Amino acid sequence: MVNLLKVQKTLLQLVAKQAGLRLQPVEVEPGTIISFWVPKEKAKCRKNVSTNKDVFPMGNSVGVENFRKEVKKKKERPAVVLVHGFATDGLVTWQFQLFALTKKYDVYVPDLLFFGGSLTSSTDRSPRFQAECMIAALAGLGVERCTVVGFSYGGFVAFRMAEIKPDMVHSLVISGSLIAMTDSMNESILETLGLESSAELLLPETAKGVKALLHNAMYKKLWFPNFMFNDFLEVMFSHKKERAELLEALVIRNDDANVPNLSQKILLLWGEKDRIFRLQYAKDMKEQLGENTSIQIIGKAGHLAHIERPFRYNHYLKEFLATAS
């Protein structure tokens, strides 16, 4: 039987190309390749002879500088980087935002390490390492200034990006995420959901587990035939060992947590009925982050607000971008 999720992913690649994006693998260091969908005018591949794959050669300083010069010659538009969550890759996560943004913005959609086509030989599984790789890849692609939109796990990465490179990340949009996942927060979330571990939710082993994930992530209860859950399980949950390590590295001790002093303008864009990262977390973060932070609440939406209510989500996102870009 045909796996419908594989068909959908193929169709999404066609949608991305129709929206003016092209797939651009970027080698940020030997053994680490980030897969990016980038504006077609900015895509420029080279062949890596060791892997026989098309990559942008970060180690080739002449190539990088020439590429940046060519990028600057083209008409510059504000750059928006869409960083996905834990269950799916970039295109699947942001499928309803592409056409809403590409008419006015240069949109970049990466796959985080161990999602989509992004891989590394490094043993570092921290959100900070993910952020460092994103920053290096964006710099190599000629991006000097951008707004980063982070959803769920991607929100943790987005916060680290803003902390590490504030001159590049000039504004943030965060949906369903936290500044950091502490021991106590992790325990509270798991207790609320009736789970023993994050992997139980985010790395399901069965179709029943996929159902539970969607139940907790969505406000609306949608019916799907069982084979759809099996299709999802087959397509979306590769690299389980490495992803389990990502989840372990996400949680830090309470004593190690701190609120970074971020100068960027920040929008917390939240589903009112988010069961995983409850609305109160967003309200608390707004107080912690200070006067540069605002919050917009999307009614009748859960953790997947950008999918459940894409028009409302896109309205608030574009409204923020218009003032922040």
Side-chain angles (χ1 to χ4, degrees):
M1 181 180 288
V2 175
N3 186 309
L4 294 183
L5 265 296
K6 288 183 179 178
V7 174
Q8 185 204 26
K9 290 193 75 174
T10 300
L11 292 175
L12 284 177
Q13 291 178 0
L14 296 175
V15 169
K17 289 180 178 179
Q18 189 66 30
L21 304 183
R22 297 293 183 270
L23 185 61
Q24 174 70 73
V26 182
E27 185 178 40
V28 299
E29 62 182 35
T32 300
I33 293 179
I34 304 295
S35 179
F36 256 92
W37 285 88
V38 307
K40 62 182 179 182
E41 298 84 4
K42 310 295 176 72
K44 189 169 185 177
C45 290
R46 297 283 192 273
K47 183 69 72 176
N48 183 313
V49 292
S50 64
T51 62
N52 200 36
K53 292 181 179 179
D54 288 328
V55 298
F56 188 80
M58 296 293 292
N60 184 341
S61 59
V62 176
V64 170
E65 289 306 314
N66 287 342
F67 179 74
R68 286 174 175 165
K69 288 176 183 177
E70 290 179 23
V71 167
K72 286 184 177 180
K73 289 178 184 177
K74 298 181 174 73
K75 183 180 179 181
E76 290 297 326
R77 303 193 303 172
V80 179
V81 182
L82 305 175
V83 188
H84 65 83
F86 205 85
T88 61
D89 61 24
L91 282 189
V92 175
T93 299
W94 301 109
Q95 57 187 288
F96 297 120
Q97 280 66 54
L98 297 182
F99 276 105
L101 298 177
T102 50
K103 291 180 180 179
K104 190 172 181 180
Y105 301 96
D106 282 341
V107 176
Y108 295 80
V109 187
D111 290 330
L112 293 167
L113 292 168
F114 302 112
F115 296 86
S118 298
L119 293 169
T120 184
S121 57
S122 171
T123 58
D124 193 337
R125 301 289 183 258
S126 67
R128 186 177 183 87
F129 181 65
Q130 295 267 20
E132 290 169 348
C133 290
M134 291 297 114
I135 289 168
L138 287 166
L141 289 165
V143 177
E144 297 179 350
R145 190 169 184 265
C146 63
T147 296
V148 178
V149 184
F151 163 66
S152 198
Y153 178 70
F156 293 100
V157 177
F159 271 123
R160 299 290 78 72
M161 291 174 67
E163 190 176 6
I164 295 167
K165 195 71 172 173
D167 55 329
M168 173 186 281
V169 181
H170 75 94
S171 57
L172 278 176
V173 179
I174 302 294
S175 296
S177 190
L178 300 169
I179 300 170
M181 178 68 85
T182 63
D183 287 328
S184 59
M185 285 182 175
N186 186 52
E187 291 171 5
S188 176
I189 291 168
L190 292 176
E191 183 179 356
T192 299
L193 298 175
L195 301 171
E196 294 184 3
S197 70
S198 299
E200 186 180 345
L201 176 69
L202 295 170
L203 293 172
E205 299 283 349
T206 64
K208 183 179 179 181
V210 178
K211 287 182 182 179
L213 172 58
L214 291 178
H215 169 76
N216 284 304
M218 301 185 76
Y219 168 70
K220 298 176 182 177
K221 303 300 180 290
L222 301 178
W223 180 87
F224 297 101
N226 281 332
F227 75 84
M228 289 287 289
F229 296 111
N230 288 317
D231 287 355
F232 196 88
L233 198 63
E234 178 184 345
V235 172
M236 296 300 178
F237 297 105
S238 60
H239 302 292
K240 286 190 174 182
K241 175 180 177 294
E242 291 83 2
R243 292 192 192 183
E245 292 167 353
L246 293 177
L247 288 176
E248 290 179 11
L250 180 63
V251 181
I252 64 173
R253 297 185 310 168
N254 291 335
D255 293 341
D256 294 334
N258 62 78
V259 179
N261 183 20
L262 299 177
S263 60
Q264 293 93 335
K265 190 174 181 180
I266 301 171
L267 171 65
L268 305 176
L269 187 48
W270 230 260
E272 181 184 22
K273 303 298 183 180
D274 193 329
R275 292 190 186 91
I276 299 173
F277 294 105
R278 298 187 304 275
L279 181 57
Q280 188 59 48
Y281 285 125
K283 293 178 179 179
D284 292 343
M285 269 200 301
K286 182 182 182 304
E287 295 303 314
Q288 293 172 333
L289 291 168
E291 61 183 14
N292 287 334
T293 301
S294 59
I295 185 170
Q296 288 285 8
I297 301 167
I298 301 175
K300 297 182 180 179
H303 191 59
L304 298 174
H306 58 291
I307 292 177
E308 290 190 277
R309 298 202 63 192
F311 293 108
R312 179 55 53 185
Y313 187 95
N314 295 344
H315 169 77
Y316 287 134
L317 177 56
K318 289 191 291 185
E319 187 176 67
F320 175 78
L321 291 173
T323 61
S325 300

